């Protein structure tokens, strides 16, 4: 068989005409989709079984199909059977509405397809990523000459900081000799996200090396307990190396006393990492709390542009005060890599493969960079402020409702629960029933497609949780919520009592 040198018939190539036509069609469809979001159900009213039936279980296609047709079919599937975190009434987890410019940016990034692993392979993209990192640092008051990298999300961003910490603080050559010299110990508040278990586990220390520091009634780390536990470990021959502070906990948006944590770290020569996946960008607000502003004392910060910078998934980011700590933890120089730059140039290229986990890397930064330019710092201040004001407004509305109990309000997270009138007096004795009731209520709210909330568990109470990282949510959307919850709550309560 002869090699076909004319590959115009390559099965994945599209002619300019085909690309233009399919591209225009899909952009038209996306435009209609975005326009219709407010009147669509937030979540699909379909079961997993139905979804699997629709998709079918045929084997891998042997023959190809026309690209335009396929794109249209894929769009229909996604528009009909997705949960829309861009819907104005989506307030679940910490998943934001996505900037439309981000969607177009991903298309552009994929079309050019630079490999942002090495500066020489992606001159423009690497420099845009570096600028994006500087702007994010500037936004939150962190030194702009810090090291940084874009990653897939908050978990990965925290892992990068964690490994930089481990290398910096181990007083032996941990990269060659491994972990088994001294028992490395980690300090986090009990409200810390599960990334910390994954990190302790995946990076070989084991979850028993995590010290869970108690929190106060506002879910903030208790500094005395932190000090006590560090002292105890030191006296027991353990090797403390990192304290993680939260800038906006995943449950209720609480910010730990970061300034005090920073002092404790300095006194004990520990790395101070801040998990700011959710809350750190709120440090841009002129009225940000003293604690939030203290993220600039951190050795490393994890943040999540796909949360409060409204980037489409996926976009996380790690900042490390000194970039040498990232190189120390991640850099290798394989002989077949020739990415040191032009000898005649004064400036050396940035090679992001030396700053983190990945080797080949996509152009995640573009969608973040463009949105930062589109909205500007002031635009972000406005959007973040409004999200916070909406959460506070909801808290106030719920406080006025007799059948709803407010539980917390921090940043843009408000938690509350439904309590039937006749159980108000005995809510402590009826805790178990109220937990079941609110859990069922949450499930029904999600399935209703009317709104999308998630939950938290606070002092043993199952609470409904509204997290607004959504530039489409209006005051009217929020004002509709209390009635929706009360009506459905009443119904679920009645059904549960009958079935008892
Ligand atoms: C969301 C979140 C994470 C995890 O981020 P992903 O992007 O989901 O990986 C970690 N910590 C906090 C505080 C978060 O809010």
């Amino acid at each position: 068989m002869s090699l076909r040198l004319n590959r115009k018939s390559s099965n994945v190539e599209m002619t300019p005409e085909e690309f233009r036509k399919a591209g225009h069609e899909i952009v038209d469809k996306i435009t209609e989709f975005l326009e219709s979001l407010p009147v669509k159900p937030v979540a699909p009213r379909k079961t997993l079984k139905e979804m699997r039936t629709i998709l079918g279980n045929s084997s891998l296609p042997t023959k190809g199909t026309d690209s335009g047709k396929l794109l249209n079919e894929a769009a229909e599937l996604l528009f009909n059977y997705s949960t829309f975190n861009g819907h104005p009434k989506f307030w679940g987890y910490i998943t934001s509405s996505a900037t439309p410019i981000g969607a177009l940016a991903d298309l552009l990034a994929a079309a050019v397809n630079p490999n942002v692993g090495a500066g020489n392979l992606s001159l423009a993209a690497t420099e845009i990523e570096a600028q994006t990192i500087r702007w994010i640092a500037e936004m939150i008051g962190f030194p702009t000459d810090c090291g940084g990298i874009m990653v897939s999300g908050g978990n990965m961003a925290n892992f990068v900081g964690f490994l930089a910490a481990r290398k910096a603080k181990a007083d032996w050559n941990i990269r060659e000799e491994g972990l088994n010299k001294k028992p490395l110990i980690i300090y986090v508040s009990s409200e810390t996200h599960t990334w910390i278990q994954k990190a302790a586990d995946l990076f070989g220390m084991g979850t028993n090396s995590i010290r869970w520091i108690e929190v106060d009634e506002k879910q903030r780390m208790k500094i005395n307990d932190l000090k006590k536990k560090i002292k105890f470990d030191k006296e027991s021959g353990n090797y403390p190396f990192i304290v993680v502070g939260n800038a906006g906990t995943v449950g209720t948006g609480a910010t730990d006393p970061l300034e005090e944590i920073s002092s404790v770290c300095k006194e004990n020569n520990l790395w101070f990492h801040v998990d700011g996946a959710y809350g750190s960008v709120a440090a841009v607000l002129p009225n940000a709390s003293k604690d939030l502003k203290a993220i600039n004392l951190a050795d490393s910060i994890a943040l999540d542009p796909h949360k409060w910078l409204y980037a489409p998934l996926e976009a996380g980011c790690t900042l490390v005060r000194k970039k040498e700590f990232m190189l120390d933890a991640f850099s290798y120089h394989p002989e077949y890599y020739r990415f040191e730059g032009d000898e005649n140039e004064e400036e050396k290229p940035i090679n992001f493969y030396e700053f983190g986990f990945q080797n080949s890397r996509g152009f995640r930064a573009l969608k973040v960079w463009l949105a930062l330019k589109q909205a500007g710092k002031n635009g972000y201040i406005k959007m973040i402020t409004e999200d916070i004001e909406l959460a506070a407004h909801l808290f106030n509305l719920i406080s006025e409702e007799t059948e709803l109990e407010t539980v917390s309000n921090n940043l843009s997270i408000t938690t509350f629960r439904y309590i039937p009138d006749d159980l108000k007096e005995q809510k402590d004795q009826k805790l178990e029933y109220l937990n079941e009731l609110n859990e069922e209520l949450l499930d029904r709210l999600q399935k209703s497609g009317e709104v999308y909330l998630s939950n938290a568990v606070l002092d043993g109470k199952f609470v409904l949780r509204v997290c607004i990282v959504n530039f489409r949510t209006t005051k009217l959307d929020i004002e509709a919520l209390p009635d929706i919850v009360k009506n459905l709550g009443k119904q679920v309560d009645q059904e549960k009592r009958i079935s008892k």
Side-chain angles (χ1 to χ4, degrees):
M1 207 163 69
S2 66
L3 180 63
R4 287 180 305 166
L5 290 179
N6 178 352
R7 301 195 64 188
K8 285 246 160 57
S9 60
S10 161
N11 304 65
V12 291
E13 185 58 288
M14 291 167 85
T15 64
E17 295 72 33
E18 280 169 347
F19 190 85
R20 188 174 289 114
K21 181 162 177 290
H24 282 181
E25 269 178 37
I26 199 73
V27 166
D28 280 343
K29 279 192 185 273
I30 294 169
T31 309
E32 282 165 27
F33 159 71
L34 290 175
E35 253 187 320
S36 69
L37 266 179
V39 295
K40 280 176 119 44
V42 188
R45 299 188 181 108
K46 288 279 184 290
T47 62
L48 174 60
K49 195 163 171 226
E50 287 169 307
M51 184 71 243
R52 290 197 172 153
T53 307
I54 288 161
L55 212 52
N57 59 356
S58 62
S59 52
L60 174 69
T62 43
K63 286 197 197 131
T65 307
D66 171 68
S67 51
K69 179 169 177 286
L70 288 176
L71 278 167
N72 282 330
E73 285 171 6
E76 283 309 310
L77 274 178
L78 292 170
F79 296 159
N80 287 328
Y81 307 108
S82 297
T83 298
F84 302 122
N85 41 38
H87 192 291
K89 289 200 180 76
F90 182 93
W91 308 308
Y93 306 100
I94 310 184
T95 311
S96 70
S97 47
T99 59
I101 201 171
L104 296 172
D106 268 353
L107 173 63
L108 178 58
V112 178
N113 202 29
N115 185 339
V116 200
N120 282 356
L121 298 179
S122 54
L123 184 61
T126 288
E127 291 305 309
I128 287 173
E129 177 160 341
Q131 187 167 67
T132 308
I133 289 163
R134 284 199 297 277
W135 285 351
I136 291 173
E138 183 180 340
M139 192 167 180
I140 65 172
F142 204 62
T144 52
D145 61 353
C146 63
I149 190 165
M150 306 283 309
V151 292
S152 57
N155 267 35
M156 293 303 281
N158 280 302
F159 292 168
V160 171
F162 186 88
L163 291 179
R166 193 179 76 161
K167 172 64 182 84
K169 291 301 177 188
D171 64 1
W172 67 98
N173 189 344
I174 194 165
R175 289 182 68 187
E176 285 181 11
E177 296 170 60
L179 288 178
N180 45 10
K181 289 253 157 179
K182 294 174 188 170
L184 289 163
I185 305 291
I186 303 155
Y187 303 84
V188 303
S189 93
S190 54
E191 290 293 304
T192 304
H193 188 277
T194 49
W195 73 266
I196 193 65
Q197 281 106 319
K198 284 197 179 174
D201 169 4
L202 296 172
F203 304 129
M205 298 149 200
T207 50
N208 287 345
S209 60
I210 304 172
R211 298 290 176 264
W212 298 100
I213 311 299
E214 291 167 18
V215 293
D216 63 17
E217 67 291 346
K218 290 181 167 159
Q219 287 82 44
R220 289 156 46 91
M221 184 188 279
K222 284 187 182 170
I223 296 296
N224 281 341
D225 193 40
L226 173 65
K227 287 184 177 165
K228 202 175 79 192
K229 291 199 162 98
I230 292 173
K231 186 161 176 278
F232 180 83
D233 277 313
K234 284 187 156 174
E235 288 168 2
S236 326
N238 287 329
Y239 196 90
F241 81 104
I242 189 173
V243 183
V244 177
N246 287 292
T249 55
V250 66
T252 63
T255 298
D256 288 322
L258 298 181
E259 207 173 324
E260 286 86 339
I261 296 178
S262 161
S263 306
V264 172
C265 287
K266 287 212 174 81
E267 283 158 27
N268 292 280
N269 187 29
L270 306 180
W271 186 275
F272 175 32
H273 175 76
V274 170
D275 178 4
Y278 160 50
S280 58
V281 293
V284 70
L285 304 183
N287 63 352
S289 69
K290 161 181 144 299
D291 283 319
L292 205 50
K293 292 219 145 121
I295 57 175
N296 65 6
L297 300 171
D299 292 304
S300 56
I301 303 178
L303 38 86
D304 237 353
H306 69 210
K307 287 181 174 168
W308 236 345
L309 293 181
Y310 313 105
L313 295 161
E314 307 164 341
C317 177
T318 311
L319 304 177
V320 177
R321 180 170 294 274
K322 293 209 165 57
K323 77 168 198 233
E324 291 72 25
F325 287 121
M326 303 184 83
L327 295 171
D328 280 353
F330 292 103
S331 179
Y332 280 101
H333 288 273
E335 281 173 16
Y336 53 89
Y337 275 15
R338 300 187 62 254
F339 298 133
E340 298 312 311
D342 188 332
E343 276 175 24
N344 304 322
E345 272 206 74
E346 224 171 279
E347 308 272 336
K348 292 289 161 225
I350 301 166
N351 293 321
F352 278 114
Y353 80 86
E354 294 186 89
F355 285 77
F357 290 86
Q358 282 180 273
N359 196 54
S360 298
R361 301 174 68 250
F363 192 11
R364 290 202 173 89
L366 185 63
K367 58 194 170 190
V368 181
W369 186 71
L370 285 175
L372 286 171
K373 283 163 80 99
Q374 186 194 9
K377 181 175 161 188
N378 288 345
Y380 272 100
I381 289 176
K382 182 164 172 287
M383 291 186 285
I384 294 169
T385 301
E386 286 173 0
D387 284 346
I388 292 173
E389 283 175 358
L390 285 169
H393 183 52
L394 177 67
F395 187 86
N396 292 335
L397 289 175
I398 287 175
S399 317
E400 288 161 18
E401 298 285 347
T402 59
E403 288 156 285
L404 301 176
E405 178 190 64
T406 52
V407 180
S408 74
N409 170 235
N410 284 307
L411 295 175
S412 67
I413 298 178
T414 289
T415 64
F416 62 101
R417 61 180 179 156
Y418 176 74
I419 305 181
D421 271 335
D422 63 337
L423 299 183
K424 287 212 93 141
E425 300 300 318
Q426 351 151 29
K427 60 183 184 185
D428 292 338
Q429 297 93 303
K430 293 283 180 188
L431 179 66
E432 205 180 319
Y433 177 74
L434 291 176
N435 283 355
E436 281 169 24
L437 174 59
N438 279 278
E439 196 170 349
E440 173 71 21
L441 172 55
L442 175 66
D443 197 41
R444 296 271 283 270
L445 284 167
Q446 290 180 347
K447 286 194 178 127
S448 76
E450 268 194 281
V451 292
Y452 202 102
L453 319 184
S454 53
N455 75 287
V457 178
L458 293 171
D459 294 332
K461 287 183 210 162
F462 186 99
V463 297
L464 305 175
R465 172 175 168 287
V466 168
C467 174
I468 305 167
V469 278
N470 192 334
F471 55 82
R472 295 206 177 95
T473 301
T474 65
K475 220 169 142 211
L476 283 179
D477 293 319
I478 285 296
E479 287 172 350
L481 183 62
D483 279 346
I484 295 174
V485 175
K486 276 189 310 181
N487 292 337
L488 201 54
K490 197 164 282 163
Q491 202 180 318
V492 174
D493 179 40
Q494 277 167 5
E495 288 171 21
K496 283 185 87 69
R497 291 191 200 203
I498 290 168
S499 72
K500 279 248 150 140

